[in-house]
Amino acid sequence: QKEVEQNSGPLSVPEGAIASLNCTYSDRGSQSFFWYRQYSGKSPELIMSIYSNGDKEDGRFTAQLNKASQYVSLLIRDSQPSDSATYLCAVKMIKAAGNKLTFGGGTRVLVKP
Amino acid sequence: SAVISQKPSRDICQRGTSLTIQCQVDSQVTMMFWYRQQPGQSLTLIATANQGSEATYESGFVIDKFPISRPNLTFSTLTVSNMSPEDSSIYLCSVERDGEQYFGPGTRLTVT
């Protein structure tokens, strides 16, 4: 089992719809969770961080965390073609020394006009 | 956030040679990280570099192949030594600030 798992996609959504991305992790004691967006040929850009169970909203993005079920999700509302990118889930695992992040494989999102 | 620059942005190198990648951040940070991202793959941590101490390498990465320097709190270098085509990848510098990690623009390395 991978430590952080994501569906590789592509997740194809029509413009204006909601894109829903999921991520599961293996380390139950993990405390910090992050979503990065990576455009092709670019470096990852932090879009959301979440530390507590529940929802956290920032503009069109909502991160949802459920520590009991060990998953974190990202919702993108009113999806735009500019949201087409790979979204990386990252977890700071309690078992890992030195504040390192463990990344999932990423979910590729395609927003079709 | 953090403003991070890397040099060079890309390079094409011959096998057997070495390349040093520089990472500069806009203000002091304690922790800097070096990642590798191979084509179509996610990020793999190479090592963590803290100022004033030896870098901590992840499993599968060794100091002889990827020596790292961290002379101060705003700068680090990663050297890719004795390169082979398998080292062709994007190398990314990252810093942690307020519990969040931010990435530099990356160095795209091609080894021929």
Side-chain angles (χ1 to χ4, degrees), chain B residues 46-92:
Chain B
I46 297 171
T48 302
N50 291 336
Q51 195 266 339
S53 62
E54 295 281 333
T56 302
Y57 289 83
E58 296 300 303
S59 176
F61 298 96
V62 295
I63 187 171
D64 289 347
K65 175 68 176 177
F66 297 101
I68 288 170
S69 77
R70 180 81 199 272
N72 58 53
L73 290 173
T74 62
F75 188 79
S76 178
T77 67
L78 170 75
T79 298
V80 186
S81 303
N82 188 25
M83 289 183 283
S84 67
E86 293 70 36
D87 295 319
S88 297
S89 188
I90 298 172
Y91 292 85
L92 293 149

Side-chain angles (χ1 to χ4, degrees), chain A residues 24-92:
Chain A
T24 59
Y25 59 94
S26 62
D27 184 0
R28 181 171 289 277
S30 300
Q31 297 293 318
S32 306
F33 307 86
F34 307 89
W35 284 99
Y36 289 83
R37 177 176 63 197
Q38 187 174 27
Y39 292 114
S40 180
K42 301 294 186 182
S43 64
E45 173 193 7
L46 179 66
I47 54 173
M48 291 286 287
S49 59
I50 187 166
Y51 306 98
S52 304
N53 280 329
D55 295 0
K56 179 181 178 183
E57 187 175 316
D58 184 359
R60 295 186 297 111
F61 298 102
T62 299
Q64 299 174 318
L65 175 60
N66 184 323
K67 290 184 180 179
S69 299
Q70 295 175 237
Y71 83 78
V72 56
S73 61
L74 180 71
L75 300 178
I76 308 173
R77 290 184 301 282
D78 187 24
S79 296
Q80 302 296 309
S82 59
D83 295 325
S84 297
T86 296
Y87 290 79
L88 299 166
C89 172
V91 179
K92 191 178 290 185

Side-chain angles (χ1 to χ4, degrees), chain A residues 34 36 38 41 43-44 46 49 51 88 92 98-101 103-105, chain B residues 31 33 35 37 42-43 45 58 92 96 99-105 108:
Chain A
F34 307 89
Y36 289 83
Q38 187 174 27
S43 64
L46 179 66
S49 59
Y51 306 98
L88 299 166
K92 191 178 290 185
N99 286 13
K100 73 172 190 176
L101 292 180
F103 283 84
Chain B
M31 305 193 76
F33 306 86
Y35 288 84
Q37 188 172 31
S42 189
L43 282 75
L45 180 64
E58 296 300 303
L92 293 149
E96 180 170 288
E100 298 177 338
Q101 279 193 29
Y102 302 93
F103 286 86
R108 183 180 294 272

